[in-house]
Amino acid sequence: MASALIVYASLTGNNELIANHINERLEAAGYDTDVQEISQAVAEDFLDVDLCVVASYTYSGVTDGELPDEALDFYDELQELELPGKVFGVAGSGDTAYERFCTAVEMFEAAFKQTGATQGSASVKIDLEPEAEDLERLDTFTDELIAKVGDK
């Protein structure tokens, strides 16, 4: 049975919803899954699963387009890992009112690539709370991740 770890950072609940939606689809496909809030997660746990997923919001406060404070340690730990043979996916919600939209998604994608992991699907950026069409995109995203893990 394939396994997945989904780690999320959520201020408004949008990314928790994204993580849970991905989780439900993976469970329906027979995956052994674990969902963790990013401040409680340990990046090294990605070593023990087939599929690594991060869903994070982008903080825009003093400056625009930063990682959330609660994600900084996890992000630093992730960059130190070697994850060849692992498949990853990144999704996240943001607000298009800001000039730099969903940059946390881009930052996590780059960090995963640095680890040697294989990107299983194009990253998904969602404006604010996921709507029906966003959930459909997340379904496609998850299906592509499942297919990529199956190819390994």
Side-chain angles (χ1 to χ4, degrees):
M1 174 186 306
S3 58
L5 172 59
I6 304 162
V7 176
Y8 70 91
S10 193
L11 185 63
T12 61
N14 293 341
N15 287 286
E16 183 175 9
L17 192 151
I18 290 167
N20 288 331
H21 186 82
I22 294 167
N23 182 59
E24 289 171 9
R25 192 136 181 117
L26 290 172
E27 284 182 336
Y31 272 66
D32 179 21
T33 63
D34 187 18
V35 179
Q36 298 180 14
E37 197 280 323
I38 204 162
S39 67
Q40 304 301 309
V42 178
E44 283 185 355
D45 288 345
F46 281 146
L47 295 169
D48 300 326
V49 297
D50 303 299
L51 176 60
C52 314
V53 179
V54 170
S56 179
Y57 70 96
T58 300
Y59 180 73
S60 295
V62 176
T63 61
D64 191 25
E66 296 178 3
L67 287 174
D69 284 344
E70 66 269 26
L72 294 175
D73 289 341
F74 185 87
Y75 178 76
D76 289 343
E77 292 170 8
L78 176 62
Q79 293 180 90
E80 295 174 9
L81 294 178
E82 293 183 18
L83 298 173
K86 306 294 180 183
V87 174
F88 79 88
V90 182
S93 71
D95 188 339
T96 55
Y98 292 102
E99 184 177 329
R100 298 186 66 210
F101 175 65
C102 282
T103 54
V105 170
E106 297 164 7
M107 293 172 74
F108 273 109
E109 181 181 312
F112 271 119
K113 287 179 179 177
Q114 179 181 312
T115 71
T118 300
Q119 187 167 5
S121 180
S123 295
V124 176
K125 297 179 178 181
I126 296 171
D127 187 28
L128 303 172
E129 183 177 354
E131 297 181 4
E133 64 270 10
D134 298 315
L135 297 177
E136 289 174 12
R137 288 185 357 191
L138 287 172
D139 289 346
T140 299
F141 167 81
T142 307
D143 291 347
E144 289 174 356
L145 294 176
I146 292 167
K148 190 58 123 179
V149 170
D151 290 344
K152 289 278 177 189

